Amino acid sequence: MSSPTSEQWRQWREEGVVPLPDALTGASLATVQQSFDAAAEKARPAWLEAVAAGTLPAAFFDIPQPLAQDPLFFDLVDHAGWYGHLRAFTDERVTFIQPQFRTVPPSPLSYVGWHYDVPRHNPLHLKVQIYLDDVSRDEGAFAYVPGSHLADSGPYPLVGDLAAMPGHHVYGGRAGSAVLFNSYGLHTSMVNRSRRPRRSIILIYEVGTAATFDPRVYAGFDDRCVTPERRQLFRLEPRPEPVVTAV
Amino acid sequence: MNAPASPNPPPRIDAHLHVFAKASAEFPREVSDHLPAEREAPVERFLERMGSHDIDGAVLVQIGGTSLQHHAYLLHCLRQHPERFLGIGLVPPRCEDASGHMDRLVEASDGRIIGVRLGALGGPADPFDAVDVRQLPVYPIWEHAAKKDLVIWLYPRAVDAHVIPHLFEAFPQVRVVFNHLMVCPGPKFWWDDKGRPQADVPMPPETRYSTMGLKIGRILYNTRGHYPYPNVCVKLSGHYAFSKQPYPYEDLVGWQQSLRMVFGCERLMWATDFPWIDVDPGYDKLVGLPQRTFADLTAHETEQLMGRTAAQFLRFPAFRDSSGWLTPP
């Protein structure tokens, strides 16, 4: 199980983003890549129909209901490459919201601009993005403005060119690398100017609260959630309220 | 009638509408179930609307056929009212001499046809296929628009949405007016019992990820960015075709707020899409729609949206003066 180093704790607190190089490697990575391609191939014809109908975006392709496509995908949610970090950064209260198994085709325009995912009154919201391809800055890499997750950060300008955002950092990496980030911070997907699609898996988490507790969402995976930790992670059971010590 | 004002007050310009005559030898046009030979939306009726609502100018968009002959009524209207109207023409599908056709439209209108409207772009249907703009059937049209400084009036189909930024990138000098709220409709088109075209599209449009590329959603002010292509404007029009609600189309307010944030009123144009709106909700209602949509619209924004943007971007000769209206935004 992963565990943050002191430097990663500093990155998390001060920058809001923690690169996790080689979080998936070797045979594990190859298997995920192959399974991803197989699931994508199966879903592509329906996606192409929806693109032509204007009912799904052409700018990215998400495998529908990915956790149901392969048991391997379900196990990525609490994969040892990042799960220890998630638990540490949420004081052991992480819950899983949803996955995005996303492929981004080349385009001169990114599908998304600089944005926050949630307002600051939302409980802590975190994402892990795992590259399944080698990704350089011009291949749709993830980018973040370090420190923008802090309440006293900004203001940040509105830009037309993503690369014009002051203070941003582009997090490229080898296939299997991951980036864990605090969704209060400004982030985007840089333009994919290459000639190949960029595959990645985005796993979305949040600190467990009564508002997000919903045992219906992952009820279909009940048989895979045999430990208390997994049942709470997948919101089949509520996270116990934190113990408040009276002073 | 309201003569075009110069130098003040700012012009009010309806940036997109159609006029057409009954099909005749003088004004030949294609007929169809929704545009039968006897249906008409004469320019005189539109001039009445202009007079009643202090509209100074308008962009007449060709309908009823793509050949030069089919443009007869549009050319007639432009010649009769050169101070009020500019025109947008059409290019025949698979036209082997698109540049010649465009030149003939411009020449026949004494330069008042300022561009052409495009629907199908003919790109690869699979967004994962490489896009080579030089292989697109519309490439000669864009190339000629760049050469002759003509405007592309863009109303693409959903299947072509991902091709659009490639064209913007290849032709940054071409002025583009994205039609009807930047919607790229799918194939589900029909005409309702009021004679209005209807399109079944999710709103906000899913094609926005390809065409606009900025986040919209739960946090309105999270639409953080400006459009990277400065020569692209968007028309606020076509609501009746996309909304699931009657006027004032409140289900489209959020999307229009996003367009306003991204483009600013310096790059937005008000338009009615007359005659389709003439009965429901009525021309007067369309004139008041921007104020209903944006409760906090400033006087400057109102002037831009209601005509100054169109006067500047489309270079209406009637509104050329020393106040800078022709200065690009």
Side-chain angles (χ1 to χ4, degrees):
Chain A
M1 185 69 67
S2 68
S3 176
T5 63
S6 58
E7 170 60 10
Q8 288 172 326
W9 270 111
R10 185 200 65 76
Q11 289 174 322
W12 175 249
R13 290 185 176 121
E14 296 179 12
E15 300 178 2
V17 56
V18 180
L20 300 170
D22 303 322
L24 274 179
T25 55
S28 301
L29 172 61
T31 309
V32 170
Q33 289 169 321
Q34 288 160 12
S35 297
F36 185 103
D37 287 346
E41 197 55 34
K42 201 167 64 173
R44 256 165 69 89
W47 174 66
L48 289 173
E49 275 185 33
V51 166
T55 55
L56 281 178
F60 56 85
F61 165 46
D62 282 353
I63 297 171
Q65 299 181 300
L67 299 193
Q69 304 300 319
D70 193 315
L72 180 68
F73 294 157
F74 189 83
D75 291 336
L76 290 175
V77 176
D78 54 1
H79 189 274
W82 45 84
Y83 195 55
H85 287 71
L86 289 165
R87 292 185 68 178
F89 295 152
T90 60
D91 292 333
E92 311 290 330
R93 298 186 52 75
V94 63
T95 57
F96 183 60
I97 303 297
Q98 68 178 74
Q100 293 167 335
F101 281 48
R102 179 162 293 178
T103 309
V104 177
S107 172
L109 188 67
S110 172
Y111 70 90
V112 69
W114 288 103
H115 66 282
Y116 313 98
D117 282 330
V118 294
R120 290 178 191 280
H121 58 73
N122 196 91
L124 177 61
H125 193 88
L126 316 84
K127 287 183 174 177
V128 177
Q129 180 166 6
I130 307 120
Y131 294 140
L132 298 187
D133 296 296
D134 293 348
V135 178
S136 71
R137 65 173 295 123
D138 289 330
E139 292 177 307
F142 171 78
Y144 195 92
V145 180
S148 60
H149 65 301
L150 301 171
D152 60 353
S153 65
Y156 296 97
L158 303 178
V159 297
D161 175 5
L162 296 179
M165 176 59 74
H168 80 278
H169 186 85
V170 180
Y171 296 85
R174 285 188 297 273
S177 297
V179 185
L180 188 162
F181 63 97
N182 179 329
S183 305
Y184 295 151
L186 270 181
H187 59 281
T188 191
S189 169
M190 299 301 279
V191 175
N192 183 0
R193 293 190 179 278
S194 73
R195 299 178 67 85
R196 59 175 184 166
R198 181 270 278 160
R199 300 171 296 171
S200 75
I201 294 171
I202 302 166
L203 303 171
I204 305 172
Y205 304 86
E206 193 164 298
V207 164
T209 62
T212 54
F213 171 64
D214 187 347
R216 294 168 301 180
V217 179
Y218 294 106
F221 297 92
D222 189 85
D223 62 330
R224 307 276 327 263
C225 299
V226 295
T227 66
E229 175 58 29
R230 260 206 167 173
R231 295 189 70 78
Q232 292 171 19
L233 171 65
F234 284 95
R235 295 183 282 154
L236 296 169
E237 291 171 10
R239 285 277 182 204
E241 290 299 314
V243 177
V244 179
T245 307
V247 177
Chain B
M1 289 296 171
N2 305 291
S6 180
N8 287 309
R12 285 165 41 114
I13 296 174
D14 186 341
H16 183 112
L17 65 114
H18 309 280
V19 289
F20 51 93
K22 293 177 181 175
S24 66
E26 183 181 11
F27 301 125
R29 66 168 170 82
E30 293 175 347
V31 298
S32 61
D33 289 345
H34 56 270
L35 280 182
E38 65 277 12
R39 189 172 181 185
E40 63 176 345
V43 71
E44 291 77 15
R45 189 189 305 162
F46 179 65
L47 287 164
E48 285 178 22
R49 303 292 181 269
M50 291 179 75
S52 302
H53 299 93
D54 297 324
I55 305 303
D56 302 298
V59 181
L60 310 182
V61 180
Q62 168 63 11
I63 190 170
T66 58
S67 73
L68 188 60
Q69 291 73 23
H70 288 144
H71 286 73
Y73 189 65
L74 173 64
L75 291 168
H76 166 78
C77 297
L78 295 174
R79 288 191 198 106
Q80 291 293 309
H81 306 281
E83 296 301 305
R84 293 182 169 278
F85 299 141
L86 292 176
I88 294 294
L90 294 174
V91 181
R94 295 172 294 281
C95 181
E96 290 187 357
D97 181 22
S99 59
H101 177 83
M102 292 161 76
D103 285 342
R104 286 188 283 279
L105 289 174
V106 173
E107 188 179 338
S109 65
D110 290 332
R112 285 186 169 72
I113 289 184
I114 57 167
V116 293
R117 193 181 198 196
L118 291 184
L121 302 178
D126 187 338
F128 289 119
D129 288 347
V131 176
D132 179 352
V133 293
R134 289 164 300 186
Q135 301 303 316
L136 297 176
V138 295
Y139 183 80
I141 296 174
W142 285 76
E143 189 178 39
H144 199 62
K147 185 178 174 187
K148 295 294 181 75
D149 195 19
L150 297 174
V151 179
I152 296 292
W153 216 247
L154 195 59
Y155 192 32
R157 303 286 86 87
V159 72
D160 282 326
H162 64 284
V163 174
I164 292 163
H166 293 271
L167 285 161
F168 290 174
E169 194 91 342
F171 295 104
Q173 71 275 51
V174 172
R175 287 173 293 151
V176 178
V177 179
F178 227 117
N179 289 196
H180 302 336
L181 303 173
M182 208 179 214
V183 171
C184 307
K188 286 189 181 173
F189 262 112
W190 71 97
W191 292 73
D192 69 8
D193 56 7
K194 293 168 182 161
R196 305 178 302 178
Q198 298 286 300
D200 184 13
V201 291
M203 291 299 289
E206 293 291 334
T207 49
R208 70 184 186 275
Y209 293 102
S210 293
T211 58
M212 189 166 84
L214 291 170
K215 177 90 171 179
I216 69 166
R218 285 182 293 172
I219 314 171
L220 175 61
Y221 288 93
N222 212 356
T223 305
R224 297 187 54 84
H226 296 305
Y227 202 55
Y229 304 110
N231 256 348
V232 178
C233 286
V234 177
K235 274 181 295 168
L236 300 187
S237 57
H239 310 75
Y240 66 88
F242 312 128
S243 176
K244 309 294 188 289
Q245 299 177 2
Y247 180 91
Y249 317 117
E250 288 182 1
D251 55 336
L252 305 183
V253 168
W255 172 237
Q256 291 179 92
Q257 288 281 18
S258 294
L259 291 173
R260 180 183 170 199
M261 293 176 69
V262 172
F263 287 88
C265 289
E266 287 77 11
R267 291 161 74 187
L268 294 179
M269 299 179 190
W270 166 80
T272 65
D273 209 12
F274 173 95
W276 316 130
I277 50 73
D278 208 33
V279 172
D280 182 1
Y283 198 88
D284 58 327
K285 294 288 199 304
L286 262 292
V287 174
L289 186 55
Q291 299 290 350
R292 295 285 299 264
T293 303
F294 307 119
D296 59 342
L297 211 57
T298 67
H300 171 74
E301 286 180 308
T302 303
E303 288 182 3
Q304 287 293 148
L305 182 58
M306 295 302 288
R308 198 188 291 269
T309 299
Q312 291 169 327
F313 194 74
L314 305 177
R315 304 175 191 156
F316 264 79
F319 306 117
R320 180 188 292 274
D321 65 15
S322 59
S323 70
W325 288 354
L326 293 180
T327 305

